[in-house]
Amino acid sequence: MLPKRYFIRALKSVLYFFIVALLLLALIYFISPKEARQVQNFAEFLQRNSLLKMAIFLGAFGLIYPLFGYITQKAPRSRPFSDSDKEAVIKIFANARFVPANDDGRVLTFRIINPVARVTRLFEDAITVDYTANPLTVEGQRRDVTRLAKAVERYLRETDETPS
């Protein structure tokens, strides 16, 4: 079964990889001295560099990327999730430069503060924390979720160990 939002993320990834590759090729072409170029124009340069093979590779990578670029990680807890726990989770995310975007009473949604980071992450920067069940689930981009889920898990473990 495919993860939710797979098709949107795959389409965004394919387009993003194509744009980045095209920009890199344009940079290479226009930076190189005119005397060293073996072609007359940029379109010829693209055709000469196996555009079809590159498109197939980038398309395949873009379709596969959402399968390993986004994860759900669990943070076990031994007690009910309290308001002070919610405040601590918000503080953990704030320290990582994320702001709360939504709280529907079951799921906290966070977004990254930096607008440039949002663009480079294709506006797929939302991290959700579902605190209704045990274990807590943190879902989003792998690079952020792994770090933040471990921090939340560490907080929950430390507060479970301290006497009340």
Side-chain angles (χ1 to χ4, degrees):
M1 184 174 123
L2 292 175
K4 63 181 177 178
R5 298 189 47 84
Y6 168 78
F7 294 107
I8 292 169
R9 289 173 175 167
L11 179 64
K12 285 181 176 182
S13 297
V14 168
L15 290 174
Y16 180 74
F17 294 138
F18 276 124
I19 291 169
V20 168
L22 188 62
L23 289 174
L24 288 174
L25 288 172
L27 185 68
I28 290 168
Y29 177 78
F30 291 111
I31 286 180
S32 66
K34 288 187 179 186
E35 306 82 40
R37 294 183 196 155
Q38 298 175 359
V39 292
Q40 297 296 336
N41 58 31
F42 185 63
E44 238 180 278
F45 177 72
L46 287 177
Q47 289 174 352
R48 188 166 216 185
N49 286 312
S50 303
L51 189 60
L52 180 63
K53 290 177 188 174
M54 192 174 357
I56 290 170
F57 172 75
L58 291 172
F61 188 71
L63 291 173
I64 293 170
Y65 178 73
L67 296 175
F68 64 85
Y70 299 88
I71 62 169
T72 299
Q73 204 159 9
K74 298 181 183 320
R77 57 193 170 134
S78 62
R79 58 184 167 71
F81 196 75
S82 66
D83 287 336
S84 63
D85 292 336
K86 187 187 289 188
E87 289 173 18
V89 167
I90 291 172
K91 186 176 179 183
I92 289 168
F93 276 78
N95 288 339
R97 313 219 2 105
F98 281 84
V99 293
N102 190 21
D103 181 9
D104 65 3
R106 296 179 19 244
V107 177
L108 273 167
T109 304
F110 295 92
R111 298 229 179 254
I112 197 158
I113 294 172
N114 187 342
V116 174
R118 292 201 68 208
V119 170
T120 60
R121 294 172 187 202
L122 310 172
F123 296 97
E124 290 290 338
D125 60 325
I127 295 181
T128 59
V129 178
D130 183 350
Y131 55 87
T132 56
N134 189 8
L136 209 80
T137 57
V138 183
E139 182 180 348
Q141 273 196 336
R142 178 181 298 272
R143 70 172 81 163
D144 299 317
V145 167
T146 304
R147 173 175 44 99
L148 292 168
K150 293 290 182 197
V152 169
E153 185 177 348
R154 189 176 325 110
Y155 162 77
L156 291 172
R157 194 174 337 111
E158 287 172 359
T159 56
D160 284 347
E161 292 172 357
T162 57
S164 301

